[in-house]
Amino acid sequence: MTAGSIAAYIDEARLWSRHVEMAKIGATPAGGVHRLAFTPEDTLSRRLLLGWADARGFQSQIDDLGNIFIRRAGIDADAAPVISGSHIDTQPKGGRFDGIYGILAAFEVLEAMDDAGVKTRRPVEAVVWSAEESGRFDIGCLGSQAFVDPSKLPAIFEKRDGDGTSVRDAVAAMKRGLPKLGQRAFRSPVAYCVEAHIEQGPELEAQGKTIGVVTAIQGQRFFKIEVVGEAGHAGNTPERLRKDAVTATIPIIAGLRKLFHDPADIVRFTIGRIDVVPNAMAVIPGYVMFTIDFRHPDEATLTRLGGQIETVAREHAGPCDVKVTEIRRSKTTYFEGVVPETILAATERLGYSYMHMPSGAGHDCRYLAEMCPTGMIFIPCWKGISHNEAEDATPADVAAGARVLAETLVSLANR
Ligand code: HGY
Ligand code: MN
Ligand code: MN
């Protein structure tokens, strides 16, 4: 089948109804989705998807970190597949589209190919990448990182959540809830990778564009800042003897906000989590841990500003001690070559309005780009809101992204 006709087989109503079904798993009263990595909700949503795949006769495999690969066969069974997917887990009280859209759009393409009776040289696979969100284990993209670089697996397996559960045990528990699947090896060959995702920002909606042809994913540095004081009695301890970790943290954060202030509004600096210990009204806090999520497209800026965090924290710590730990650093990833070119050609052929744009958010494609030609397709989301229960998109945009994805995957699967 020539590209330019598979799009006609994308079924907007079917794709939207799949989103409605998936959003019921982990649904929150405010209309969002709470589906943390490897939880029963994650397992249930994978079971639902695998049931749809089974009904189509697609073959499914799973790897040691729970990444799932749903395959529609190609003419050449030995050819490396074209893969497309995203994550099924959400942030705490997340939205109904972040991640899951990329999986359901990819699965819709497999169904459209089946309905159209398309034959492609390469197999095409819809992929579930495990634990993309950092909400449970403080580090994200665990599945795609391990798939691309298996040497990371031992450290990833030892990561623990706030209850002390290791990734290893969480994955094993999830697998016990899944049907028996074929084994997939890490870093098994992949010809091309494409991910469809909501933009999670305001640009497409503001510019009135339907499709984002993604050019890059900005670099990021994640830190854990520990402020160590001394717990004490709130009633008896005079000010002059206090080592109050909260009193120290307030000027530290004020100093860091000053350091990261950017009149050009390109720096993304977020303190998303603050833990106070023992977090009791009548106890002077002896310990505070807070996180820094710092992102920027320029490596030199990431180095320069990130390198000043410890100095600024120490300057404002008063009688407390400070420990700064970098949790993860990722360079800016650029999407160039045949995949973004194929996405652009498909978008133009289908006549959708579009713009080239970088991604402020991180995605699994950051890692897949280390092993094969990769690209991303964005669709708008309501007011650019994401990582929020109010996250929303329209059936028309959801289907438009899937049509561009379908054209792109069929084209790449015949290369
Ligand atoms: O944090 C991110 O950028 C992604 O949404 N997990
Ligand atoms: Mn996210
Ligand atoms: Mn995402």
Side-chain angles (χ1 to χ4, degrees):
M1 161 170 286
T2 55
S5 51
I6 181 63
Y9 287 84
I10 293 294
D11 182 331
E12 179 174 321
R14 174 173 62 193
L15 178 55
W16 189 256
S17 70
R18 297 244 194 264
H19 280 84
V20 171
E21 279 308 298
M22 274 291 179
K24 289 175 185 167
I25 303 174
T28 63
V33 175
H34 183 86
R35 194 165 55 212
L36 300 191
F38 307 127
T39 56
E41 292 77 15
D42 181 349
T43 308
L44 269 176
S45 49
R46 290 166 188 252
R47 290 184 67 88
L48 180 60
L49 178 68
L50 288 166
W52 294 335
D54 210 30
R56 280 276 181 176
F58 298 145
Q59 294 305 309
S60 300
Q61 291 185 321
I62 192 166
D63 69 18
D64 286 346
L65 212 67
N67 299 314
I68 288 177
F69 302 81
I70 297 171
R71 171 172 286 209
R72 182 174 185 273
I75 297 163
D76 179 354
D78 298 329
V82 179
I83 68 172
S84 179
S86 190
H87 56 97
I88 214 161
D89 64 309
T90 70
Q91 286 287 356
K93 294 192 176 181
R96 294 174 293 131
F97 297 89
D98 178 6
I100 193 65
Y101 169 61
I103 293 171
L104 294 179
F107 187 75
E108 173 60 30
V109 170
L110 298 191
E111 294 205 277
M113 290 169 73
D114 247 23
D115 295 345
V118 171
K119 290 200 181 317
T120 53
R121 180 168 85 82
R122 298 179 178 282
V124 180
E125 295 181 337
V127 179
V128 176
W129 294 114
S130 291
E132 190 272 351
E133 298 288 14
S134 51
R136 183 174 178 189
F137 292 101
D138 274 350
I139 286 199
C141 294
L142 300 183
S144 49
Q145 287 196 70
F147 179 77
V148 169
D149 178 357
S151 70
K152 293 182 178 176
L153 185 66
I156 287 175
F157 262 164
E158 288 320 306
K159 288 289 299 165
R160 292 180 184 277
D161 67 7
D163 300 331
T165 305
S166 68
V167 169
R168 181 196 306 276
D169 292 348
V171 172
M174 180 195 71
K175 284 193 169 184
R176 285 194 291 274
L178 295 180
K180 194 89 190 84
L181 301 174
Q183 176 66 20
R184 183 62 162 260
F186 283 138
R187 210 174 171 81
S188 50
V190 172
Y192 303 99
C193 176
V194 191
E195 180 172 357
H197 206 287
I198 53 169
E199 177 200 344
Q200 298 180 295
E203 294 312 315
L204 285 173
E205 187 182 66
Q207 307 290 334
K209 305 290 185 191
T210 303
I211 298 293
V213 181
V214 184
T215 55
I217 300 178
Q218 68 179 338
Q220 58 192 44
R221 296 185 75 177
F222 293 164
F223 297 87
K224 186 166 93 166
I225 315 297
E226 296 173 279
V227 182
V228 183
E230 191 176 274
H233 196 296
N236 268 344
T237 314
E239 190 58 36
R240 69 178 185 282
L241 298 180
R242 289 190 177 209
K243 292 183 180 177
D244 182 329
V246 166
T247 303
T249 298
I250 294 165
I252 289 174
I253 289 180
L256 289 171
R257 288 222 61 89
K258 203 160 151 239
L259 170 67
F260 283 92
H261 172 65
D262 173 15
D265 196 7
I266 295 173
V267 165
R268 295 289 175 264
F269 174 81
T270 309
I271 294 174
R273 183 176 152 193
I274 299 181
D275 296 343
V276 177
V277 175
N279 211 24
M281 186 187 284
V283 179
I284 299 167
Y287 174 89
V288 167
M289 187 292 290
F290 66 90
T291 58
I292 291 177
D293 176 330
F294 167 37
R295 308 192 197 195
H296 198 280
D298 174 55
E299 283 305 303
T301 305
L302 285 166
T303 301
R304 179 172 57 81
L305 292 180
Q308 296 176 57
I309 289 172
E310 180 147 7
T311 310
V312 170
R314 290 198 177 288
E315 270 168 15
H316 297 80
C320 294
D321 194 10
V322 167
K323 187 169 176 256
V324 176
T325 311
E326 182 156 22
I327 306 173
R328 179 165 66 139
R329 176 168 188 168
S330 304
K331 284 183 176 306
T332 297
T333 300
Y334 295 96
F335 297 128
E336 292 158 339
V338 66
V339 176
E341 286 162 9
T342 307
I343 292 169
L344 176 61
T347 304
E348 290 183 328
R349 203 166 43 241
L350 292 168
Y352 288 121
S353 60
Y354 70 89
M355 58 190 279
H356 283 89
M357 61 193 300
S359 174
H363 300 283
D364 291 303
C365 271
R366 178 197 297 284
Y367 296 99
L368 273 297
E370 292 172 15
M371 77 177 268
C372 68
T374 299
M376 291 192 74
I377 301 164
F378 275 171
I379 62 167
C381 56
W382 178 64
K383 292 169 72 177
I385 292 173
S386 184
H387 283 189
N388 181 314
E389 293 168 286
E391 184 182 277
D392 203 359
T394 67
D397 287 342
V398 159
R403 290 191 190 98
V404 171
L405 183 65
E407 295 286 308
T408 303
L409 295 181
V410 167
S411 190
L412 293 171
N414 284 322
R415 286 179 73 91

